[in-house]
Every structure is written in C-alpha cells, then in structure tokens.
C-alpha cells in the first residue's frame, strides 16, 4: 500500500499534491490504482478534508487523477493527448513569437531525420520517395508545394518510429500552418527558384534516409530548416514593417 506521511510544512494542499505525485513517480501508485477516500486521506495525512479536496481537484484538472463520483479516486491512465494538448495551448500563446516556434520545429525535425535514417520501414521509405517524385512533377509551378512539403515532413516524423515525436511534429506543423499560411504563400510565389531548391533539398534528405546515413540526414535537415527559417523570418519582418508604414 502507498505510504502517506503527515503533512507538517508548506501550504497544506501543495504538500499533499507533491506526496501523491511522488508516490506515482516512485511506482507506489500506478495507473488504475484506487486511492484512499477523501476522509481516509485526511486522517492519514492529519490535515483537513478541505485541503485534501483542494489537492485532489488540482490533480484531477492536471489529468493525473480521475475522480469517479460514487466510485472513488483513481490514478488516471495517460491518454495519447496527455502531453500534446497542454503543448498545443502553449504554442498557440507563442504563435506571435515566430522565432521560438521555428526553433522548436528545428529541434524536433533534425532528430526525426536521424532516427528515420536508422528506423525507416520499407513502406514509409516508399512513401517518402513518392512525395519527392510528386514534388519533381509539380515543378516549376509548385502548385502543390506547401501540401507536399507538409506530407514529406510528417511522413519523416512517422518514420522515426517514435509516436510521441510524430505527434509533437503534427502539433508544431499545425501551429506553423495557422501562423505562417500567408507568409509561406508569399515566399513560394515571390522567390524565384524556391520550389526547385525545396525539391532538391527534400530529395537529398530522402536519399540520406534511404542510405541509412544518420549524420548526413541530420545535417541536411538542419541546413534545410535553417534556410527556410531565414526566409520566413525575412518575409514576416517585411510584412510587419509594411503595417507600421
């Protein structure tokens, strides 16, 4: 049984909250386990039921505990969005800070490229090749450039064989899509040779993944995203200055 200790310091509800989290981290409480009742916790911890109730409510809101009325209090099993939903909210708040989002994207995608070079399945490698071939067919107009670019990067994240990384990538790409839709369209249409260069960069990343060359895949992805970042920031700054005039 999980070992609770009397609360003696700090704000009472915070101490209760920390004890419960610590017991979960240490494995004394596991997902699906039923906790003591509110009254039993109050007696064991030697605190008021109001303090226990406050701590339990906070853990319930955080998605750590699940309060089932008429049944009891349980340690919640983490769902697929347990990490993603709070991150989405944070990124939405940060969406005006373009540099921050692009740096997060770079950190995720460079590692995704390296992992894909090690772990990509034949099926996903075939899918990456198909996207690259579509990119070439789409030249020089680049009418599907944005859609194909997204497909390539999300497929690559999937090829990392890390479901959490893949979900994080989907979230970041969604926020970037909302924030930069106009900026990306301006860049693709106004800059000569952009679609050809993007095709070549994606093709080279695909070839590094196909060759299982982890370091080259990471290097090429970093260079690709750095160039994209510089261009998007330049155009975004230009748009901002136009608004000021």
């Amino acid at each position: 049984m999980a070992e609770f200790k009397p609360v003696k310091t700090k704000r009472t509800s915070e101490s209760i909250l920390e004890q419960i989290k610590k017991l979960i981290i240490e494995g004394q409480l596991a997902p699906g386990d039923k906790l003591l009742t509110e009254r039993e916790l109050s007696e064991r911890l030697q605190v008021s039921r109001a303090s226990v109730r406050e701590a339990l409510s906070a853990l319930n809101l955080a998605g750590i505990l699940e309060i089932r009325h008429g049944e009891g209090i349980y340690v919640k099993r983490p769902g697929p969005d347990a990490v993603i939903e709070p991150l989405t909210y944070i990124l939405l708040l940060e969406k005006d800070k373009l540099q921050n989002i692009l740096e997060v994207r770079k950190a995720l995608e460079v590692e995704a490229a390296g992992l894909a070079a090690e772990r990509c399945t034949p099926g996903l490698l075939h899918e990456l090749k198909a996207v690259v071939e579509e990119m070439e067919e789409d030249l020089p107009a680049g009418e599907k450039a944005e859609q194909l670019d997204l497909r390539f990067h999300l497929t690559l994240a999937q090829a990392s064989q890390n479901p959490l990384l893949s979900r994080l990538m989907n979230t970041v790409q969604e926020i970037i899509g909302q924030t930069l839709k106009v900026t990306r369209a301006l860049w693709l249409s106004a800059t000569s040779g952009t679609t050809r260069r993007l095709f070549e960069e994606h093709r080279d990343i695909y070839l590094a993944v196909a060759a299982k060359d982890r370091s080259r895949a990471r290097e090429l992805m970093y260079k690709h995203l750095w160039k994209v970042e510089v261009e998007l920031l330049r155009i975004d700054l230009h748009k901002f200055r136009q608004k000021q005039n």
Side-chain angles (χ1 to χ4, degrees), residues 18-112:
E18 286 178 12
Q19 275 203 56
I20 294 173
K21 286 202 296 184
K22 186 170 182 287
L23 291 170
I24 293 170
I25 291 167
E26 291 175 348
Q28 293 190 55
L29 286 172
D33 283 357
K34 185 176 181 180
L35 268 69
L36 300 173
T37 65
E38 188 180 290
R39 179 180 58 78
E40 289 168 336
L41 283 170
S42 172
E43 291 172 358
R44 185 74 62 87
L45 297 167
Q46 298 175 18
V47 296
S48 69
R49 290 182 67 169
S51 295
V52 171
R53 194 175 302 120
E54 185 180 350
L56 294 177
S57 295
L59 290 166
N60 180 52
L61 284 171
I64 295 170
L65 296 182
E66 181 180 5
I67 300 173
R68 302 176 193 170
H69 296 290
E71 292 185 43
I73 307 156
Y74 294 82
V75 179
K76 193 170 182 179
R77 298 183 187 279
D81 294 323
V83 175
I84 306 302
E85 286 178 356
L87 176 64
T88 303
Y89 178 68
I90 291 166
L91 286 172
L92 283 168
L93 292 177
E94 289 281 319
K95 70 180 182 180
D96 292 329
K97 300 180 179 69
L98 178 58
Q99 180 82 45
N100 293 354
I101 295 174
L102 291 174
E103 286 174 359
V104 169
R105 179 194 180 192
K106 192 159 56 185
L108 291 172
E109 293 213 47
V110 169
E111 182 61 19

Side-chain angles (χ1 to χ4, degrees), residues 173-192:
Q173 287 286 6
E174 185 179 339
I175 302 300
I176 288 174
Q178 292 175 21
T179 309
L180 293 177
K181 192 168 184 63
V182 175
T183 302
R184 288 175 81 172
L186 281 170
W187 173 46
L188 289 169
S189 62
T191 311
S192 176

Side-chain angles (χ1 to χ4, degrees), residues 95-150:
K95 70 180 182 180
D96 292 329
K97 300 180 179 69
L98 178 58
Q99 180 82 45
N100 293 354
I101 295 174
L102 291 174
E103 286 174 359
V104 169
R105 179 194 180 192
K106 192 159 56 185
L108 291 172
E109 293 213 47
V110 169
E111 182 61 19
L115 291 174
E118 292 180 337
R119 305 171 178 175
C120 190
T121 63
L124 287 171
L125 190 63
H126 178 76
E127 199 170 327
L128 282 171
K129 183 181 179 183
V131 176
V132 170
E133 288 172 348
E134 272 195 73
M135 283 180 170
E136 187 171 23
E137 290 168 7
D138 194 42
L139 296 173
E143 293 176 0
K144 300 189 290 181
E146 189 172 349
Q147 171 197 337
L148 291 170
D149 178 84
L150 181 62

